[in-house]
Amino acid sequence: MAAAVTRRVNALRVEAPAADVESGRGALQEAAKRAVDAKDDVWVAADEGDTESTGGASRPLLFRTMKVKGSILHPYRFLILMRLIAVVAFFAWRVKHRNHDGMWLWATSMVADTWFGFSWILNQLPKLNPIKRVPDLAALADQYGSSGEANLPGIDIFVTTVDPVDEPILYTVNTILSILATDYPVDKYACYLSDDGGTLVHYEAMVEVASFAALWVPFCRKHCVEPRSPENYFGMKTQPYAGSMAGEFMRDHRRVLREYDEFKVRIDSLSSTIRQRSDAYNSSSNKEDGVRATWMADGTQWPGTWIEQAENHRRGQHAGIVQVILNHPSCKPQLGSPASTENPFDFSNIDTRLPMLVYIAREKRPGYNHQKKAGAMNVMLRVSALLSNAPFVVNFDCDHYINNSQALRAPMCFMLDPRDGQNTAFVQFPQRFDDVDPTDRYANHNRVFFDGTMLSLNGLQGPSYLGTGTMFRRAALYGMEPPRYRADNIKLVGKADEFGTSTSLVNSMPDAAIQERSITPVLVDEGLGNDLAALMTCAYEDGSSWGRDVGWVYNIATEDVVTGFRMHRQGWRSMYCSMEPAAFRGTAPINLTERLYQVLRWSGGSLEMFFSHSNAPLPAAGSTLSSAWRTSTCRRTRSSRCSSWHTTSSRSCGSSPSSSTSRGRSARTSCTSSPS
C-alpha cells in the first residue's frame, strides 16, 4: 500500500491513504487487535475451538477467552502461598507470646490483626485465576450481519440526570448525541432520558438534540467519526481520518463544527430563553393570583417543575411526563439528499434515519420515598416495556458517552454466544475517564480495581454491576431465573401482583424474554397514554416486589452492586468486557474534596451493604451463588468500592413514519407522542 499522505488544514491533521481506505468498523477492529497483540506477553488464548454445537447445529463462538501465562501466574500463586504461611506463623507467634501485663491492648491488636488478615485472604482468593474475555466483532458480523440492517436484537438505552446545574446539560446532550450516532441498526434501539428534576430546560435541550442530530448522525456515518460525542471529537488535537471520502471531509467538518458551535450557544441560553418567554406569557395573562408559570414554546404551561416553584410544580411535587421526541424509524433505509444551494451536505448515499428518543420525568409527590436513581431506573424499565420492550437494556450516567461506536455490538458477543449466553444477566464495561491529570493523583482511573479485581472476578461467576456502562438482559431485571434453572414455560398468572396493577406491563414480559426479538413500534394513543401515566405514579409500586425482587434494589446507597448481587444469587452469570478504544468514557472528580466525598459515599454504602440482608455471602433460600464467588464478594462488601418464558419469537420492522422532531404540546396527563 502506498504511503499515507498527511494534509494540514486549520491545524487539523487528516490522514488520507493514497489507496482505498478501510471502513471505520475495520479500523476499530484492527485497533482492538493491536491492543490485544501488544499484551501477548501477559495473556494467552485458552483452547476453546472455533464453534459450539447446540441443538445439532454448529455455531461460531462470539468471544475469546484469554488467560494469564503460567510463567507469570504460577510464581504469583507461589508468592501468595508463602505470604499465607508467614501470616499464619505470625498469628501463631502472637497467640503463643501473649502480653499479660497489657492483656486488653494485646486483645485489641489481635482483633485488628485478625480482621486485616481475613481481609487480605479474601482479597487474594479471586485473583488466583484472572480471565479476560475479548468480543469477536468479526464473528458477530458474519453471523448477524454488519450493515445497518444487521439482524441484531433490540436495545433500550437508559440515561439518568437530575439537576442541569450540578450535572451540566452539555454533558447530557453529548451523551445523547453519541448514543443516537452509534453503529447499531437504527430501528433496533431506543434512547430514554430520565429527568428526575422535571425541568423544562432538559426537555427543550432534547428537542435541540433531535434537531442537531439530523446533521451530526449522517456526518458520523459518512466519515466514520470516532468518538461520536461532538464535544470530545472536536476537542481532539488530531483526528485521523478512517472514512472513504477524504475529499469532502474538510468541507463537511468546518460546516458541522460551525453548526455545533451555534448548537452550544442555544443550549447555554436555554435557561434565559425559557425565563424570558415565561415572563412574557405571565405578563400578558393578567392573572392576579401571583402564580408565575413556566411556559413551553407552544404557549402551554410546563407540567413539571417551574422556575418559580408553585403547588404541583416544584421539585418533589409534579406530574409525570412522557414525551416521544423522535418516533421509532421505519425498517427501510432512508437516504439523504444530494448537496444543493439550500443544503451544502451531500448525504445522498447515507442513511439519515434516527433512533427513537423519549423524554421521561416520573411523578413526584410529598410523603413518598422516590428512591433516587434506582426509582428512576425502575420507572424507565416499565415505561420502555410498553413503548419498545427491547430484550436488552443499557444504562448510562449522564456524564458518560459512547467512545467507541461498536460499544453496543461488543456486549452482544457475550449475550448471544452459544456457550452460556442465555444465562448471562449483564455485561459490565470498565469505567474510563477524561481530563484526569497525568499523575492521576486522586486515583480516579482505579487501575487496580478495573484492570485487576474485575478481571479476577471474571474467572468466577462474573464481575459486579458498577452503576453505568452496563448491558442487562431485561428478563433478569424482572427477577426471572436463568434458563438453566427455570421451566420452559413460565406462568405469570398469580404473580401479577409482584409487578403492580398494569395488565399491559405483565403481558409484555414474555416477549421481553425472547433475546432475538427486535423493537416493535407502537402508536401512543389515549389508552397507551393512560397506561404510561399509571406506570409513573408514586403509588404504583405499593404492595409489589419493585425495589426488592424486581428491578433495581431500593433503600441502600449502593443500589447498583446490590442489584448485581441479587442476579448472581439467582444463578445468573455476568461478563466483563474491555475493548480498545474504550467503549465508554466519562468525567471524574477534579479536586480532592469531590474525590473524598465520592469515596466516603461508596465506603458508607459498602459498609451498609455488608450488614444488610442484601449481602451476597449471606445464605438465602434458593441462592445459587458459587462458593468461590460468595467468598470473593464478602471482601468487596466490607471494603470501599472503587468505581463508580418461552414464547414464539416475533419480529417486526417499524412501520411508523420516519423519525420526526416533536416541538408540540405536552399534555397535562403528560403522555404524548410527537406528530408523525
Side-chain angles (χ1 to χ4, degrees), residues 193-303:
L193 174 70
S194 172
D195 174 18
D196 228 24
T199 57
L200 179 57
V201 65
H202 272 127
Y203 168 71
E204 296 205 352
M206 291 303 103
V207 175
E208 292 288 350
V209 163
S211 177
F212 179 70
L215 172 63
W216 173 249
V217 173
F219 170 74
C220 292
R221 293 171 182 164
K222 178 179 179 179
H223 297 293
C224 303
V225 167
E226 297 287 346
R228 299 194 175 181
S229 162
E231 184 70 15
N232 300 90
Y233 173 71
F234 290 124
M236 296 170 60
K237 294 181 179 179
T238 60
Q239 299 162 354
Y241 187 67
S244 57
M245 300 181 183
E248 302 179 26
F249 174 69
M250 289 309 307
R251 181 174 65 252
D252 290 350
H253 180 279
R254 287 193 297 268
R255 290 168 177 164
V256 173
L257 177 58
R258 183 168 59 249
E259 292 289 339
Y260 178 63
D261 289 338
E262 295 176 0
F263 167 77
K264 287 199 296 184
V265 171
R266 294 195 299 271
I267 293 295
D268 290 339
S269 62
L270 276 177
S271 296
S272 59
T273 300
I274 293 172
R275 181 176 290 276
Q276 292 172 6
R277 179 205 306 149
S278 300
D279 289 344
Y281 275 114
N282 290 325
S283 299
S284 62
S285 62
N286 295 323
K287 290 186 177 181
E288 298 180 357
D289 54 7
V291 176
R292 299 182 63 80
T294 298
W295 295 79
M296 301 174 65
D298 63 353
T300 58
Q301 293 184 5
W302 175 241

Side-chain angles (χ1 to χ4, degrees), residues 159-163 191-204 206 302-306 312-325 357-365 370 372 375-384 387 529 532-538 666-672:
V159 181
T160 54
T161 187
V162 180
D163 192 308
C191 179
Y192 294 81
L193 174 70
S194 172
D195 174 18
D196 228 24
T199 57
L200 179 57
V201 65
H202 272 127
Y203 168 71
E204 296 205 352
M206 291 303 103
W302 175 241
T305 303
W306 288 353
N312 295 322
H313 294 284
R314 58 168 56 99
R315 284 184 178 273
Q317 185 183 12
H318 59 78
I321 307 167
V322 173
Q323 190 77 324
V324 180
I325 297 176
L357 176 60
V358 182
Y359 171 90
I360 298 175
R362 57 181 171 144
E363 182 190 54
K364 295 286 188 71
R365 295 299 173 200
H370 299 106
K372 300 180 180 179
M377 297 293 287
N378 284 338
V379 169
M380 279 195 290
L381 187 63
R382 296 195 294 267
V383 170
S384 64
L387 291 178
L532 294 174
L535 291 174
M536 292 188 297
T537 58
C538 300
S666 176
R668 293 180 188 276
T669 57
S670 314
C671 300
T672 61

Side-chain angles (χ1 to χ4, degrees), residues 400-623:
H400 278 68
Y401 64 92
I402 294 182
N403 182 64
N404 186 331
S405 63
Q406 303 292 297
L408 298 185
R409 294 176 181 262
M412 284 300 174
C413 294
F414 301 96
M415 293 294 194
L416 304 178
D417 188 82
R419 286 165 290 187
D420 208 22
Q422 289 192 339
N423 295 305
T424 300
F426 62 91
V427 178
Q428 178 66 57
F429 286 84
Q431 296 180 16
R432 307 300 188 197
F433 302 102
D434 295 326
D435 301 327
V436 177
D437 64 279
T439 60
D440 192 15
R441 69 186 69 182
Y442 305 131
N444 282 308
H445 285 309
N446 294 323
R447 295 296 187 186
V448 173
F449 181 77
F450 290 119
D451 299 333
T453 303
M454 297 300 281
L455 290 174
S456 301
L457 291 174
N458 208 25
L460 302 176
Q461 198 170 342
S464 302
Y465 166 42
L466 302 179
T468 183
T470 314
M471 174 177 282
F472 283 99
R473 191 178 296 273
R474 186 182 285 265
L477 287 170
Y478 285 153
M480 298 180 186
E481 294 180 338
R484 59 185 171 188
Y485 293 129
R486 70 170 184 247
D488 290 339
N489 296 293
I490 287 189
K491 303 294 184 181
L492 295 178
V493 178
K495 296 184 178 181
D497 291 342
E498 297 181 9
F499 305 104
T501 58
S502 173
T503 304
S504 301
L505 174 63
V506 175
N507 291 339
S508 71
M509 290 181 177
D511 288 341
I514 306 172
Q515 71 171 11
E516 297 85 4
R517 185 179 181 276
S518 183
I519 292 178
T520 303
V522 296
L523 176 63
V524 183
D525 54 14
E526 183 178 357
L528 180 57
N530 292 334
D531 286 342
L532 294 174
L535 291 174
M536 292 188 297
T537 58
C538 300
Y540 179 82
E541 297 176 350
D542 292 349
S544 70
S545 296
W546 286 97
R548 186 178 64 255
D549 300 321
V550 181
W552 277 260
V553 176
Y554 290 163
N555 299 317
I556 194 165
T558 51
E559 80 287 334
D560 46 3
V561 178
V562 174
T563 301
F565 281 177
R566 188 195 68 204
M567 296 178 184
H568 283 132
R569 293 175 76 162
Q570 291 179 299
W572 290 98
R573 290 189 56 85
S574 60
M575 298 287 184
Y576 193 60
C577 178
S578 181
M579 59 188 302
E580 293 293 340
F584 313 112
R585 298 188 72 88
T587 58
I590 59 176
N591 57 58
L592 182 60
T593 302
E594 292 181 1
R595 179 60 172 159
L596 290 177
Y597 175 76
Q598 185 184 60
V599 173
L600 177 63
R601 182 164 49 88
W602 288 343
S603 302
S606 297
L607 188 63
E608 177 187 3
M609 181 169 52
F610 180 71
F611 291 106
S612 75
H613 69 279
S614 300
N615 194 344
L618 298 181
S623 175

Side-chain angles (χ1 to χ4, degrees), residues 25 29 60-62 136-147 150 152 409:
R25 185 180 299 112
Q29 292 174 1
L61 305 183
L62 299 181
D136 192 340
L137 296 175
L140 182 73
D142 291 341
Q143 185 169 351
Y144 292 93
S146 59
S147 66
L152 291 168
R409 294 176 181 262

